[in-house]
């Protein structure tokens, strides 16, 4: 508490406009909307306040309340054109060990939508989603420049129905001047039995030197069951392959060798009541770039097999899978090639009256050892409540074995009052730790809601599969926080 009080004494108040294009969008939208007599414009607002009772140091104390206020302005001066701007002000926002009161333009866009095209000029919005079959060479989380929300600005273009061709492309710029571009196009042939696609991404790190990431990929999807009559007895039998090439050439003014990534997958294969998936992948060193969430997840080759069996006339599904990845360059300290192998078996059962159960056994092995894992979940739901209880035994028969128990309940007390709770317990030979999160929610207002919460929600947001809490050497326990929220919409 003393540290927090000293930080509060250093608090400052600052006002700023965030986003390189926000001011331009604001002036444009206001003039743009009101200049048209037939423009449809909407102004909406939102207010949220939060205060916290902190009892971590045994003596309870009240922290400064947080206030958040925002306005949304939407205008459609023409049927095919939309403008949007969101502005907000916030107090008690911590940065660099100081408390800020800030006012800023959060986000804005101007969007045009035609018969076969949509173009959006935007600032501080995450419009970087990308659909790619296998390699995942670009991911929105690596482009949006996140800092309490996306901060990048850019331009996005979607088109469809142009000679049966569909495509998407975007250009983005971060606050530090780095920019990125991505483009994907695909087209079906032979009545959707064949689909050809191509993806290209580029990220510039330094406009003055030769420092960039660049990857190009091509993919094909074949409905083998429709193309080859003999295979139709096994279902659609979809075969998808994507091959990519890292063609950066230069990174930090150092020449990089060209590298290759490949993944091929056979799916929708049915043999009786068995449904199967087979895949093989091969990634050379440094194939993935900073635009992918899989950066560093390369330098290996491996396969994956999955089989699902649905028991006839019963609501019981069985699943078995296995993957095996072998590094072909990196070696461990003993000079061995790195190897990862995982085998999984699962049974899922649906009972009467809304109850389900799932049991899973996962066996993982790498160069450091073997780590078995058992998981059991039973859940039920009706009009009054939804419950879920879990058991996980992690790293079975190793020195790191632990047991985790989790319980989640969501209850409709009345139409206006809702109660939600999560409770977890982790046992190791030397200690037992607990965490709890409780929430009482009131929905009696047509334009607002109120919450009261106890505990840290992040400890158990994935119950026993949340490895932030379910760790051998963790000392996290129940955190004594009471938070009160009020949210109003107008």
């Amino acid at each position: 508490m003393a540290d927090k009080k000293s930080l509060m004494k250093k608090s400052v108040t600052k006002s700023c406009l965030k986003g390189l294009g926000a001011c331009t969008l604001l002036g444009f939208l206001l003039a743009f909307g009101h200049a048209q007599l037939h423009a449809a414009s909407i102004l909406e607002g939102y207010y949220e306040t939060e205060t916290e009772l902190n009892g971590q140091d045994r003596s309870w104390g009240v922290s400064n309340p947080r206030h958040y206020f925002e306005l949304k302005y939407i205008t459609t001066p023409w049927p095919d054109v939309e403008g949007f701007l969101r502005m907000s002000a916030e107090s008690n926002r911590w940065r660099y060990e100081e408390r800020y009161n800030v006012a800023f333009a959060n986000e804005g866009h101007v969007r045009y939508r035609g018969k076969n095209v949509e173009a959006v000029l935007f600032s501080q919005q995450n419009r970087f989603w990308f659909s790619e079959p296998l390699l995942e060479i670009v991911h929105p989380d690596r482009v949006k420049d996140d800092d309490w929300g996306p901060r990048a600005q850019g331009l996005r273009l979607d088109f469809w129905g142009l000679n049966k061709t569909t495509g998407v492309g975007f250009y983005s710029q971060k606050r530090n001047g780095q920019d990125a571009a991505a483009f994907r196009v695909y087209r079906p042939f032979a009545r959707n039995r064949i689909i050809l696609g191509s993806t290209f991404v580029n990220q510039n790190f330094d406009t003055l030197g030769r420092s960039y990431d660049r990857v190009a990929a091509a993919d094909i999807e074949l409905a083998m069951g429709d193309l080859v009559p003999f295979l139709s007895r096994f279902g659609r039998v979809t075969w998808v392959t994507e091959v990519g090439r890292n063609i950066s050439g230069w990174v930090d003014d150092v020449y990089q060798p060209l590298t290759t990534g490949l993944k091929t997958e056979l799916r929708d294969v049915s043999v009786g009541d068995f449904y199967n998936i087979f895949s093989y992948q091969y990634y050379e060193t440094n194939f993935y770039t900073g635009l992918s969430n899989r950066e560093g997840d390369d330098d290996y080759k491996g396969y994956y097999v999955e089989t699902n069996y649905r028991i006839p006339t019963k609501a019981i599904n069985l699943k078995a899978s296995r993957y095996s990845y072998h590094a072909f360059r990196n070696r461990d300290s003993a000079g061995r090639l790195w190897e990862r192998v995982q085998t999984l078996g699962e049974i899922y059962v649906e009972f009467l009256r809304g109850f389900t159960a799932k049991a899973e056994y996962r066996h993982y092995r790498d160069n450091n050892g073997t780590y078995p894992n058992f998981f059991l979940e039973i859940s039920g739901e009706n009009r009054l409540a939804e419950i879920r209880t879990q058991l996980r035994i992690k790293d079975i028969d190793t020195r790191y074995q632990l047991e985790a128990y989790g319980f989640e309940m969501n209850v409709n007390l009345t139409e206006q009052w809702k109660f939600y709770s999560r409770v977890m317990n982790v046992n190791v030979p030397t200690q037992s730790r607990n965490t709890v999160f409780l929430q009482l929610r009131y929905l009696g207002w047509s334009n607002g809601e109120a919450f009261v919460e106890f505990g840290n929600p992040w400890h158990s947001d994935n119950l026993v599969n949340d490895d932030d809490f379910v760790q051998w050497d963790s000392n996290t326990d129940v955190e004594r926080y009471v938070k009160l929220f009020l949210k109003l919409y107008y």
Side-chain angles (χ1 to χ4, degrees), residues 271-435:
V271 180
D273 294 310
F274 290 88
Y275 299 84
N276 310 281
I277 299 174
F278 311 92
S279 71
Y280 173 82
Q281 44 208 320
Y282 173 95
Y283 307 111
E284 293 185 330
T285 307
N286 297 325
F287 167 73
Y288 281 108
T289 73
L291 286 175
S292 173
N293 261 4
R294 301 183 63 180
E295 182 183 17
D297 186 21
D298 48 21
D299 189 27
Y300 70 86
K301 60 182 176 181
Y303 67 86
Y304 174 81
V305 178
E306 178 182 315
T307 299
N308 292 271
Y309 177 66
R310 301 173 184 175
I311 298 179
T313 72
K314 305 291 183 181
I316 302 176
N317 294 343
L318 303 178
K319 174 183 175 181
S321 67
R322 178 182 175 87
Y323 76 68
S324 178
Y325 296 156
H326 301 268
F328 51 86
R329 281 192 178 84
N330 292 335
R331 297 175 179 268
D332 62 13
S333 57
R336 299 171 298 176
L337 291 176
W338 194 265
E339 181 182 19
R340 293 179 291 169
V341 179
Q342 176 176 283
T343 305
L344 177 144
E346 177 186 291
I347 179 172
Y348 174 81
V349 183
E350 294 183 2
F351 300 99
L352 297 176
R353 300 182 182 180
F355 280 90
T356 64
K358 182 173 73 171
E360 173 190 286
Y361 179 78
R362 187 187 305 266
H363 186 277
Y364 177 83
R365 174 174 57 85
D366 61 22
N367 290 31
N368 293 326
T370 301
Y371 306 96
N373 186 94
F374 175 76
F375 172 80
L376 173 66
E377 175 183 285
I378 299 175
S379 62
E381 180 180 2
N382 58 26
R383 298 172 63 181
L384 174 64
E386 179 181 356
I387 61 172
R388 183 168 57 144
T389 182
Q390 294 180 345
L391 163 67
R392 181 184 179 190
I393 306 176
K394 183 181 179 184
D395 302 333
I396 301 172
D397 292 332
T398 72
R399 58 176 298 187
Y400 302 107
Q401 178 174 321
L402 60 81
E403 295 84 37
Y405 305 88
F407 176 77
E408 180 181 55
M409 180 172 62
N410 197 347
V411 183
N412 300 315
L413 300 176
T414 67
E415 291 186 0
Q416 291 80 30
W417 291 94
K418 314 293 181 182
F419 176 72
Y420 177 78
S421 65
R422 288 198 303 259
V423 181
M424 277 181 53
N425 172 257
V426 173
N427 291 329
V428 298
T430 56
Q431 66 172 339
S432 178
R433 296 182 290 108
N434 306 277
T435 185

Side-chain angles (χ1 to χ4, degrees), residues 48-69:
E48 175 182 320
T49 183
E50 169 193 342
T51 190
E52 177 183 280
L53 302 176
N54 187 337
Q56 283 295 97
D57 298 327
R58 299 183 182 277
S59 59
W60 289 88
V62 181
S63 67
N64 284 348
R66 170 184 174 269
H67 300 276
Y68 177 79
F69 172 82

Side-chain angles (χ1 to χ4, degrees), residues 116-135:
N116 300 101
V117 67
E118 180 179 89
V120 186
L121 175 66
F122 60 91
S123 177
Q124 301 194 84
Q125 291 182 339
N126 182 10
R127 293 186 174 273
F128 307 112
W129 58 87
F130 220 80
S131 177
E132 188 189 356
L134 295 175
L135 292 183

Side-chain angles (χ1 to χ4, degrees), residues 64-85:
N64 284 348
R66 170 184 174 269
H67 300 276
Y68 177 79
F69 172 82
E70 80 174 25
L71 285 174
K72 296 180 180 179
Y73 176 69
I74 307 170
T75 181
T76 54
W78 296 285
D80 298 330
V81 179
E82 175 192 88
F84 172 80
L85 181 70

